[in-house]
Amino acid sequence: MWAASVTVALLLSTNVAFAQTFKRLGGCPRLGCVFPPDQTDFLVGQYFDIRLEVHAPVNGTETANGGVPDEKFTFCVQRGKGACTDAAKFFGVKEPALEKWSFSYFEDLFAQDAGASTAVNVASKAYRGLRLTTPGTYQAKLKYYSGSETVANWIVREPAKKRKAKNVLLFIGDGMTQAMITAARLIAHKSVNGRYQSLMQMDQMDYLGHQMTHSLDSFITDSANSATSLYTGKKASVGALNVYADSSPNSFDDAKIETIAQLFRRVIGGPIGMVSTAVIADATPAALCAHTRDRNQFPQIIQEYLDGASSVNSTFNWPTSCDGPDVVFGGGAENFIAGPKSPGGADYYKVFQAKGYNVVYNNKELQKVATDKKTLGIFSKSNMAKWIDRNVYPQNLLNQKNSPTGDGTDAVDQPGLKEMTLKAIDILQTRQKKKNTGWFMMSEAASIDKMMHALDYDRALGELLELDDTIRATIAHLKKIGEYENTLIVVTADHGHGFDVYGNADTTYLAAQTDDRKKRNAIGVYENAGLSGYTVAEGSLPTNDTVVYGSEGANFPVQWNPRYAYAAGFGANPDHREGYAVNQKGPRVPATKGSTGENEVNPVDQASGFIVNGTLPVSQGQGVHSLQDVSVFANGPGGKAFRGVYNNIDIFFKIADALGLGSK
Ligand SMILES: *[C@@H]1O[C@H](CO)[C@@H](O)[C@H](O)[C@H]1NC(C)=O
Ligand SMILES: *[C@@H]1O[C@H](CO)[C@@H](O)[C@H](O)[C@H]1NC(C)=O
Ligand SMILES: *[C@@H]1O[C@H](CO)[C@@H](O)[C@H](O)[C@H]1NC(C)=O
Ligand SMILES: *[C@@H]1O[C@H](CO)[C@@H](O)[C@H](O)[C@H]1NC(C)=O
């Protein structure tokens, strides 16, 4: 009887086209699941959990055992060609208890339209807090339904034993692609007869590579699973932070993986820093320290920063944590102010203070704060203000009622990425002195991504130029304090967006036309693209009909709303209107929900433009991430290893090598 259904299952699993859109469980195309799955690489000694699942679909196209999952499954692990040993014995842990639950899913869009979900019963076990301390190849074998087997091939990589870099500074331009860097260069750096007279700092880094961002179970990634890959060396599923997404309802019981920040804390004992222009519980900073299947669990994520994953649910012992990063700078005050969005409703500023943190709320306090203590800097509710709004349109900072203290005033004195990063370096530098441990920091230009989602290209490029300015200032600062030669600087992104520039648009002509097709004639392509209208050409000055600009300074555009604006488009967009003009009143909202609940053109966005029909499901009101590889720039000790084309998980292993994490 069983042999027959197993054969069916095997046939189906070689032809899983039906599982493209909706998967029973990502990363597990079989009825038996092993997490970490096949093709996983570990760092020697890195902590991880194992989650096993045996599925019994009750109905749908692939039923099993009358909907009763095999509870007698076995699981063994072998190193090299050795004998496969029962996993509890192999790892020297207690046999875990059997867990059971059910879930349901839609097999495809037809099933969803019909409301016909497939029910699945599950038998499962989880092994917690494991390590593999001998390098080499391993096989983990799950046997179930008398004859079925799921095999995971694992490699335990040994990092370099000799430490090259004392400090590691990882810059992430969230969503940043080479097309955006090129566009930012165009608007901020002058060219004469086709030759740039100055370059981006990123253009001047010593080593350049490309990383592939493909996630565990989808070729498009989000910021949670991509950050998981960058910091743990493991592929993961969309939305997951440092865990393998399982099918259970609990977001905190999934198999966890130790991160580079936790390793730096545990193995080297040095200070770690987390800086972002986003809500500080957002995915890219969160993935340094938090473990959850659901990146939106902001209060628990903040709690994990201070007290580790075990504090969220002590059932799942997790032996390693960031133990309160030494620097936590960003937005998202709503998760600290006592109330429904803070952990346990507590005043989390006070909780941090009780753990020895200095707390600052604006740039003035940031500049003044001493460098000897751990420091929490929360500068606004929600995501922090964008560079353009702080520097060119400061009136947009008013009437936001986003003060981080929660007193209802406006957060008008917010630091930029540069101010936060330079101060963070000083604090980390002071705090590592006693033991000369060096430090680890991640600094994220988060709103390149957030503004690209909103198709607000100008704001996104402003954030990108601020990142570049931050890298430039960081290099100068590290030289000044004598740490440049000791510091590995890596600049990369987590994923891309399908953005590119294809010409110039005469915004004056465009606005003067009433017909959509005529408006499109305002776009100059090829030779009619002309030259950048954002930088001052030799012998000309900005005219007085342009914006009154503030403190942009070198390496930023001289003006943001020239008559001849760059014409850019997006590979994946909702219905919207395009007029190529800077959004002077604040971040763009390209589409809004109409009476039908579907996203339609926002009637007040780019009012002089023409309609561009969307390429996305009407449920999407913003642009989405895209497939392309992203660049990796590196300077300093260990930087050479970042040349070439590799996977996002390799960034973790390259950093581990630079830190010589194999020496202990
Ligand atoms: C599976 O069974 C449930 C409960 O009877 C039903 O609601 C659902 O539509 C079924 N799904 C399929 C794919 O047949
Ligand atoms: C911890 O996880 C267990 C198992 O999923 C669950 O039953 C329990 O409610 C969780 N505890 C908390 C505090 O969330
Ligand atoms: C530019 O316009 C502003 C505002 O209308 C005005 O105050 C300023 O004097 C003008 N500057 C020049 C150089 O004409
Ligand atoms: C194009 O966009 C307009 C405005 O939102 C909308 O009414 C129309 O249905 C769209 N066409 C398609 C094919 O989606």
Side-chain angles (χ1 to χ4, degrees):
M1 219 17 243
W2 258 115
S5 12
V6 166
T7 314
V8 171
L10 287 178
L11 278 176
L12 282 168
S13 61
T14 55
N15 178 20
V16 287
F18 64 87
Q20 283 296 322
T21 306
F22 304 114
K23 292 166 281 275
R24 187 172 59 230
L25 179 57
C28 177
R30 316 274 314 262
L31 291 171
C33 316
V34 177
F35 294 110
D38 192 23
Q39 304 298 312
T40 300
D41 286 13
F42 302 83
L43 190 78
V44 157
Q46 183 181 18
Y47 276 106
F48 65 96
D49 294 340
I50 294 174
R51 165 69 78 189
L52 308 175
E53 293 191 19
V54 176
H55 291 177
V58 177
N59 55 8
T61 51
E62 187 193 26
T63 57
N65 203 27
V68 181
D70 184 356
E71 297 179 9
K72 296 252 166 359
F73 60 83
T74 65
F75 182 57
C76 65
V77 181
Q78 71 187 65
R79 183 161 70 85
K81 294 197 166 17
C84 204
T85 309
D86 175 70
K89 199 166 155 212
F90 185 90
F91 289 107
V93 296
K94 246 177 48 199
E95 183 65 29
L98 187 77
E99 300 171 56
K100 292 203 274 183
W101 63 77
S102 304
F103 70 99
S104 65
Y105 76 111
F106 294 114
E107 288 187 355
D108 63 14
L109 289 162
F110 293 111
Q112 178 173 268
D113 284 350
S117 61
T118 295
V120 184
N121 293 321
V122 183
S124 174
K125 280 184 184 177
Y127 302 72
R128 306 279 175 191
L130 312 173
R131 305 164 71 195
L132 290 166
T133 51
T134 309
T137 59
Y138 291 75
Q139 281 199 321
K141 297 177 180 170
L142 174 68
K143 296 184 179 168
Y144 50 101
Y145 292 146
S146 37
S148 289
E149 188 177 58
T150 298
V151 178
N153 291 285
W154 295 339
I155 295 175
V156 175
R157 293 206 214 169
E158 184 161 39
K161 287 201 162 69
K162 194 164 169 293
R163 186 165 170 183
K164 294 194 190 82
K166 178 182 169 196
N167 314 309
V168 174
L169 177 36
L170 175 60
F171 283 108
I172 297 187
D174 202 304
M176 177 174 72
T177 66
Q178 200 58 49
M180 297 173 200
I181 296 171
T182 313
R185 189 194 302 121
L186 174 79
I187 66 171
H189 292 266
K190 194 171 79 175
S191 70
V192 175
N193 294 335
R195 296 186 64 176
Y196 280 102
Q197 303 298 294
S198 60
L199 290 173
M200 305 276 286
Q201 181 59 48
M202 280 183 258
D203 296 335
Q204 300 174 60
M205 301 289 276
D206 291 333
Y207 307 108
L208 170 63
H210 277 176
Q211 44 131 331
M212 299 171 254
T213 67
H214 202 302
S215 61
L216 179 66
D217 50 353
S218 167
F219 53 72
I220 300 294
T221 173
D222 81 322
S223 292
N225 64 349
S226 59
T228 297
S229 297
L230 296 172
Y231 306 158
T232 71
K234 309 285 174 287
K235 293 289 184 177
S237 300
V238 168
L241 291 173
N242 303 318
V243 298
Y244 287 106
D246 66 25
S247 69
S248 82
N250 189 331
S251 301
F252 295 96
D253 70 349
D254 308 54
K256 302 179 178 65
I257 317 152
E258 188 173 29
T259 73
I260 190 74
Q262 292 169 341
L263 276 154
F264 192 83
R265 194 63 123 190
R266 181 171 66 79
V267 179
I268 294 176
I272 53 189
M274 156 193 304
V275 173
S276 174
T277 52
V279 167
I280 201 62
D282 204 18
T284 308
L288 289 170
C289 302
H291 301 265
T292 168
R293 190 263 169 277
D294 174 8
R295 59 180 278 182
N296 298 312
Q297 305 290 326
F298 287 176
Q300 289 89 339
I301 285 168
I302 299 290
Q303 187 183 331
E304 289 197 33
Y305 289 174
L306 268 193
D307 297 319
S310 298
S311 75
V312 174
N313 192 327
S314 58
T315 315
F316 321 120
N317 172 44
W318 182 243
T320 173
S321 94
C322 282
D323 193 23
D326 299 69
V327 171
V328 180
F329 289 166
E334 58 276 23
N335 301 129
F336 292 84
I337 298 164
K341 293 181 176 171
S342 74
D347 179 337
Y348 243 63
Y349 291 125
K350 286 209 177 116
V351 175
F352 271 71
Q353 270 161 341
K355 292 252 180 180
Y357 279 76
N358 280 326
V359 179
V360 293
Y361 301 106
N362 56 48
N363 190 36
K364 208 180 197 176
E365 292 173 4
L366 176 71
Q367 296 312 319
K368 282 202 308 227
V369 74
T371 57
D372 57 334
K373 283 195 186 172
K374 287 188 178 181
T375 309
L376 172 71
I378 300 297
F379 303 107
S380 71
K381 287 187 178 172
S382 187
N383 298 311
M384 291 176 67
K386 315 303 170 264
W387 184 92
I388 287 191
D389 296 311
R390 279 187 289 111
N391 291 283
V392 186
Y393 304 115
Q395 65 275 19
N396 293 335
L397 304 183
L398 304 178
N399 305 315
Q400 302 296 312
K401 300 185 171 58
N402 60 343
S403 162
T405 61
D407 67 3
T409 60
D410 300 325
V412 285
D413 182 27
Q414 300 182 41
L417 188 68
K418 181 163 74 175
E419 289 76 29
M420 292 195 289
T421 302
L422 296 183
K423 189 69 187 203
I425 290 173
D426 287 344
I427 292 169
L428 296 173
Q429 183 64 11
T430 304
R431 290 185 59 79
Q432 64 83 39
K433 264 200 181 120
K434 213 190 279 170
K435 295 193 206 146
N436 199 32
T437 52
W439 42 261
F440 175 89
M441 162 158 56
M442 190 287 296
S443 173
E444 184 203 17
S447 290
I448 299 172
D449 173 70
K450 294 185 192 304
M451 293 296 96
M452 277 293 163
H453 275 294
L455 315 188
D456 195 330
Y457 310 134
D458 290 318
R459 272 183 182 67
L461 297 184
E463 299 300 291
L464 195 158
L465 288 165
E466 180 184 44
L467 170 63
D468 199 62
D469 191 42
T470 302
I471 301 165
R472 187 188 315 274
T474 294
I475 290 173
H477 190 65
L478 289 172
K479 284 182 176 162
K480 200 173 101 195
I481 64 171
E483 288 289 337
Y484 180 63
E485 304 297 328
N486 300 329
T487 306
L488 169 66
I489 301 176
V490 180
V491 184
T492 189
D494 46 358
H495 58 77
H497 285 267
F499 162 91
D500 207 348
V501 172
Y502 50 83
N504 241 329
D506 180 343
T507 54
T508 305
Y509 181 85
L510 191 150
Q513 310 309 309
T514 49
D515 177 76
D516 266 14
R517 299 189 79 82
K518 201 84 192 289
K519 283 177 185 287
R520 280 164 58 183
N521 290 340
I523 301 166
V525 298
Y526 297 109
E527 71 274 26
N528 291 337
L531 299 173
S532 169
Y534 296 80
T535 47
V536 195
E538 204 76 58
S540 73
L541 285 168
T543 60
N544 208 18
D545 63 357
T546 62
V547 308
V548 179
Y549 56 92
S551 56
E552 290 96 312
N555 312 314
F556 287 96
V558 169
Q559 60 182 348
W560 284 90
N561 69 340
R563 173 173 167 184
Y564 293 94
Y566 62 86
F570 211 73
N573 49 260
D575 292 349
H576 63 289
R577 207 183 273 108
E578 193 51 82
Y580 304 107
V582 64
N583 300 279
Q584 301 195 25
K585 296 202 170 133
R588 183 177 186 184
V589 180
T592 46
K593 288 224 159 109
S595 51
T596 56
E598 295 181 347
N599 281 292
E600 297 169 358
V601 173
N602 175 3
V604 300
D605 177 52
Q606 297 277 325
S608 67
F610 55 89
I611 286 178
V612 180
N613 267 104
T615 52
L616 287 171
V618 293
S619 59
Q620 302 286 335
Q622 294 203 322
V624 299
H625 300 172
S626 69
L627 177 66
Q628 66 190 294
D629 291 355
V630 292
S631 301
V632 187
F633 306 94
N635 264 19
K640 209 172 181 177
F642 290 84
R643 296 178 303 175
V645 179
Y646 41 85
N647 223 298
N648 55 2
I649 60 163
D650 293 304
I651 303 254
F652 165 83
F653 291 100
K654 291 176 196 298
I655 293 176
D657 270 341
L659 288 169
L661 283 179
S663 63
K664 297 197 185 155

